[in-house]
Amino acid sequence: MEQARPSTTRRRFLKGTALAAVPYALLPDTRAGAQSLAGDYPGAEWQPASTSNYTVSDRPASYAVNRVVIHVTQETYTDTLAIFKNPQKKVSAHYLVRSADGHVAQCVREANVAWHAGNWSYNTRSIGIEHEGWVDKPAWFTDALYEQSARLTAAICTKYGIAKDRAHIIGHYEVPGTDHTDPGPNWDWTRYIRLVNFA
């Protein structure tokens, strides 16, 4: 003879009792980590830089954010993430955009000061966006990279009230005191600013 199945109500009761027996210390705290895992830009993958590679701050309360600085990595996407995670490198950017598909990773919170421009004043008042590729290889500047980066820059400009123009969206080479040339002569500024304004 077949044994009778416990009723749905009894099954739910038993599951509830078992769950109640699990010590709260073993359950994840939904508050701890929720803030640290959520990025500032919807859809960006959180890939945190080493805390040795940026300065904790509370921007825009501590410093007004008034620029976006465009960079080119001179490295692959994967290698750039590894550099930002390496505490010996002393470099980071807020965002990294992948060439092939425009995928965006966030490495430093916008409230914090990323070490990307090589100029403390510019670091404190800007958001740094790195782009996978090389300044002398324009094939890395794909449609997807331009389009997704422009959406990101547009969102940053809207959030902080930054004008969507070349005076406020600048290349790394335009930062005073830098020896960098990125994003280089192959970066299409006309196209980029147009995409930012239409995003």
Side-chain angles (χ1 to χ4, degrees), residues 64-145:
V65 177
N66 58 21
R67 281 189 187 85
V68 176
V69 180
I70 302 299
H71 302 267
V72 171
T73 61
Q74 299 295 103
E75 294 285 350
T76 65
Y77 176 89
T78 304
D79 287 349
T80 301
L81 288 177
I83 289 167
F84 291 170
K85 290 175 187 293
N86 183 339
Q88 303 303 313
K89 294 296 186 179
K90 307 300 181 200
V91 66
S92 63
H94 294 94
Y95 294 98
L96 171 62
V97 183
R98 190 163 56 202
S99 173
D101 56 4
H103 177 77
V104 177
Q106 183 170 4
C107 304
V108 177
R109 288 206 175 274
E110 292 175 10
N112 295 327
V113 178
W115 300 345
H116 62 97
N119 176 310
W120 178 248
S121 178
Y122 274 67
N123 281 344
T124 61
R125 300 184 183 281
S126 66
I127 301 290
I129 304 175
E130 286 280 2
H131 298 82
E132 180 185 27
W134 283 262
V135 296
D136 59 344
K137 297 177 181 174
W140 286 86
F141 304 151
T142 63
D143 291 344
L145 178 136

Side-chain angles (χ1 to χ4, degrees), residues 25-41:
L26 297 178
L27 295 174
D29 183 351
T30 54
R31 291 169 300 145
Q35 192 172 11
S36 65
L37 295 177
D40 296 304
Y41 180 66

